[in-house]
Amino acid sequence: MEQENLTTTVTEFVLLGLTQSPELQRFLFIVFSIVYLTTWLGNFTIIITVITEHQLHTPMYFLLANLAFMDVGDSSVNAPKFLAGLLSQRKTISFNECFLQMFFFHFIAGAMSFCLVGMAVDRYVAIYKPLRYLTIMNPGVLVGIVVLAWLGGLAHSAVQIGLLLQLPFCGPNVLDNFYCDVPQVIKLACTETHLLELQMVFNGGVLLVMIFIILLISYATILVKIRTYLTEGKHKALLTCGTQITVVCLIFIPCIFIYARPFQKFTLDKVVSVIYTVITPMLNPMIYTLRNAEMKKAIKRLMRRVLCSRREINT
């Protein structure tokens, strides 16, 4: 594939994608189209159920619905371009579109990380301050958590992209990935980037590790409280915390693998990228619904209402 002339400014990037085999590309298109549609269906089912079911108008489900919205947004930043690339032999993305993709991906992913912190706080208050739970986690506090999560994601992404935009891109334009991301794009700059890479690792990777450790310590504290002191609703509390810990691990472990190290190429990078950009947003709603009896009952009630309304329309 041709690269831009070394004396000109890069106007587009060439994405190598997951594979160069046309047959495998068509197969992957079918597989990941189903995954993407399942992501939308699962997450919007959660959002609609939380909105329409009065029993789910609680702090925990409010935060869960926001997380589901972030899942849809995060997967939609990369998945459409990824799917379109699987149907094309030459996969290109303009310079501006590439940077916008990185900005929104890190914006929403950062907001999701901070939202998970908010969900951990919610569980901590529910277990340690059960009598004051609804007083502490009032609507104002919940809105504040969500707003701070989005502002945190915005700050994180703005720093990442702001540092990248200072770099000159005047030569190589081939990205060995299926979407634009910081570790690959920074390597194409026509200047020394070692110090900047360390800054990126600190802003992304170190932040991820710190939040992950804080979340693990928080949930460990909560689990100790549940197992030691809680008697009523113990099984439900353990299931809820176990579900949230599973989602935290699914999101943070792959991201830490990519961003918490110097930007060197590893064989597993593409596989791990597929997991946290495409697969995890699909799995999150499944995990929350399959391990949550209250959510499953609410979804069944919603489905019954939808079916009944359709029958009334037909008759």
Side-chain angles (χ1 to χ4, degrees):
M1 294 190 181
E2 295 183 2
Q3 295 183 348
E4 298 284 338
N5 189 290
L6 292 177
T7 61
T8 61
T9 301
V10 171
T11 58
E12 68 176 16
F13 295 100
V14 178
L15 302 170
L16 294 184
L18 292 181
T19 177
Q20 299 301 309
S21 167
E23 293 78 12
L24 187 54
Q25 283 184 354
R26 285 191 288 269
F27 172 74
L28 290 176
F29 175 80
I30 295 171
V31 171
F32 288 118
S33 293
I34 294 171
V35 169
Y36 185 50
L37 290 173
T38 305
T39 300
W40 269 77
L41 179 63
N43 283 292
F44 269 104
T45 298
I46 288 178
I47 294 169
I48 294 169
T49 303
V50 171
I51 292 172
T52 57
E53 289 291 325
H54 181 72
Q55 294 91 331
L56 301 184
H57 290 179
T58 64
M60 183 181 78
Y61 289 109
F62 174 81
L63 294 173
L64 175 58
N66 277 276
L67 183 67
F69 177 77
M70 292 173 185
D71 270 329
V72 172
D74 207 35
S75 64
S76 296
V77 172
N78 297 324
K81 187 71 177 179
F82 170 45
L83 292 172
L86 290 172
L87 297 178
S88 173
Q89 286 304 304
R90 180 172 173 81
K91 311 166 186 65
T92 60
I93 183 170
S94 71
F95 184 90
N96 290 337
E97 187 182 354
C98 178
F99 273 73
L100 281 173
Q101 189 180 63
M102 287 189 290
F103 172 79
F104 283 108
F105 177 66
H106 285 274
F107 174 30
I108 301 172
M112 193 182 303
S113 300
F114 292 115
C115 184
L116 288 168
V117 174
M119 294 177 75
V121 170
D122 170 74
R123 288 301 83 204
Y124 182 88
V125 175
I127 299 303
Y128 277 84
K129 304 286 183 181
L131 297 179
R132 299 183 57 208
Y133 173 57
L134 293 178
T135 304
I136 296 172
M137 301 300 293
N138 59 68
V141 170
L142 293 173
V143 171
I145 288 173
V146 173
V147 170
L148 286 174
W150 283 108
L151 289 176
L154 178 63
H156 160 71
S157 184
V159 170
Q160 295 278 81
I161 304 307
L163 291 172
L164 271 181
L165 284 172
Q166 297 177 28
L167 298 174
F169 293 91
C170 55
N173 69 332
V174 178
L175 295 169
D176 188 14
N177 208 344
F178 59 92
Y179 69 106
C180 285
D181 202 7
V182 173
Q184 291 81 38
V185 173
I186 197 171
K187 289 294 186 182
L188 300 183
C190 305
T191 186
E192 172 59 44
T193 60
H194 180 70
L195 183 59
L196 190 60
E197 286 180 38
L198 293 178
Q199 290 177 305
M200 293 287 197
V201 168
F202 180 80
N203 181 49
V206 175
L207 182 64
L208 281 169
V209 172
M210 288 172 61
I211 294 176
F212 187 51
I213 291 172
I214 290 170
L215 287 171
L216 290 181
I217 293 172
S218 301
Y219 281 114
T221 306
I222 293 168
L223 290 173
V224 169
K225 174 73 172 181
I226 292 171
R227 294 182 66 87
T228 308
Y229 300 104
L230 202 64
T231 54
E232 187 178 347
K234 184 174 184 176
H235 180 68
K236 181 181 177 181
L238 284 171
L239 271 180
T240 302
C241 287
T243 298
Q244 293 189 6
I245 292 169
T246 303
V247 171
V248 165
C249 291
L250 274 173
I251 292 174
F252 277 87
I253 292 175
C255 290
I256 288 171
F257 176 82
I258 296 293
Y259 300 110
R261 57 177 170 82
F263 296 151
Q264 298 174 346
K265 185 178 176 181
F266 284 83
T267 307
L268 289 175
D269 282 356
K270 285 187 183 181
V271 176
V272 175
S273 295
V274 169
I275 290 172
Y276 72 78
T277 59
V278 182
I279 304 299
T280 298
M282 177 194 69
L283 292 179
N284 285 349
M286 293 183 180
I287 294 169
Y288 276 113
T289 53
L290 290 176
R291 301 190 65 180
N292 189 316
E294 193 174 11
M295 177 62 76
K296 284 191 285 188
K297 290 177 183 176
I299 291 173
K300 287 177 182 177
R301 288 195 297 269
L302 176 63
M303 293 298 105
R304 280 197 295 267
R305 287 203 304 271
V306 171
L307 290 173
C308 288
S309 63
R310 282 187 176 180
R311 286 171 187 167
E312 289 174 2
I313 292 171
N314 292 332
T315 56

